[in-house]
Amino acid sequence: MQSKPNRALGAIIMSTNTIDNTRKVTTRRLIEMKQRGEKISMLTAYDFSSAKILDEAGIDVLLVGDSASNVMAGNMTTLPITLDQMIYHAKSVIKGTKRALVVCDMPFGTYQGNPMEALASAIRIMKESHAEAVKMEGGAEIRESIERILSAGIPVMGHLGLTPQSINKFGTYNVRAKEEEEANKLIEDAKLLDEIGCFGIVIEKVPAELAARVAKEVSIPIIGIGAGGGVDGQVLVMHDMLGINQGFSPRFLRRYANLADVMTDAVQNYIADVKSGDFPSEKESY
Ligand code: KIV
């Protein structure tokens, strides 16, 4: 069963089915990708150099996630990161990105209060960082804030399921929406975000069957993290999937590299070369 068409979608006329990997990714293009069944790849980035590597590798979406609070700043939760810090990260990512769509998380405490505060925060992100969209955690309870931001022409991505900014309410990072009541609320929230004009939704750590059902019932892309393969795309935290952050091994995480080991090895070789006097050589000197 399909829900009502999304307002952001408008009338998209697909002239071709061919995939152009050099064309700039836009919110509209993500919706087209869902329509033709092309999976969307998304990773976090917080700095210029990583963003450049990920963008040149062909990633579709770069998320300047508030997970920067954990993996960049060393905090236990995403709650402490500020709007100024998110803008700093997003600005750096934008400078390294040509093709990917850059989405910036709205940090905790900058949109939950009231719609005008939410709008002011989103405008600061767009104006000062040049990010192309914002992401917000929550459904019906933040509807008015999302609508206010959308009305200013700022694309919004939702985030449902495990919403780390509410960790103090949940008490754990366990799988969400296993019970019928929470699963039904998630479905209703996803339909609401679709209807009011969000361009996509991240769904975090919920049963695969539920996430797949949501992906079928809404017209906008569902990007999963720990939400199984039946959704429209996947997102991971770059530091986790590259094995830079080794202290986090949930079942949903696939590690594609072990950069902590590569870096440790390189740094130990450097230390040994400095201590032995092998570095710098004559060739490396002026
Ligand atoms: O902040 C973040 O990195 C996120 C992802 C986990 C989706 O929101």
Side-chain angles (χ1 to χ4, degrees), residues 116-167:
M116 289 316 287
E117 181 198 25
L119 177 63
S121 307
I123 287 179
R124 274 203 63 201
I125 290 175
M126 303 299 284
K127 240 184 180 354
E128 295 177 36
S129 77
H130 300 173
E132 295 152 327
V134 297
K135 175 164 84 56
M136 300 163 73
E137 296 184 8
E141 56 288 345
I142 56 159
R143 174 189 186 144
E144 286 172 9
S145 291
I146 296 176
E147 285 181 320
R148 197 71 198 84
I149 293 171
L150 287 168
S151 75
I154 300 172
V156 176
M157 175 171 242
H159 185 153
L160 301 172
L162 176 65
T163 47
Q165 292 178 11
S166 302
I167 183 57

Side-chain angles (χ1 to χ4, degrees), residues 148-274:
R148 197 71 198 84
I149 293 171
L150 287 168
S151 75
I154 300 172
V156 176
M157 175 171 242
H159 185 153
L160 301 172
L162 176 65
T163 47
Q165 292 178 11
S166 302
I167 183 57
N168 293 310
K169 178 174 143 197
F170 297 148
T172 76
Y173 288 101
N174 290 345
V175 178
R176 303 301 315 173
K178 280 169 62 178
E179 308 300 331
E180 199 180 332
E181 195 183 338
E182 196 180 335
N184 286 340
K185 172 159 170 34
L186 190 142
I187 295 167
E188 287 314 306
D189 278 342
K191 287 182 178 170
L192 173 74
L193 296 180
D194 184 7
E195 276 169 29
I196 65 177
C198 290
F199 71 88
I201 307 172
V202 165
I203 292 193
E204 180 164 355
K205 227 172 169 186
V206 304
E209 205 180 313
L210 172 64
R213 180 173 163 201
V214 174
K216 274 206 194 82
E217 293 193 8
V218 299
S219 63
I220 52 177
I222 298 297
I223 312 294
I225 172 163
V231 291
D232 307 302
Q234 299 292 327
V235 57
L236 286 174
V237 169
M238 184 196 77
H239 288 63
D240 299 336
M241 60 85 74
L242 291 182
I244 298 171
N245 171 27
Q246 291 195 319
F248 182 66
S249 300
R251 168 171 163 171
F252 69 75
L253 175 63
R254 187 178 293 181
R255 262 196 229 297
Y256 286 84
N258 209 333
L259 290 197
D261 285 354
V262 173
M263 288 168 79
T264 303
D265 203 40
V267 172
Q268 284 176 342
N269 286 337
Y270 167 73
I271 294 167
D273 288 352
V274 170

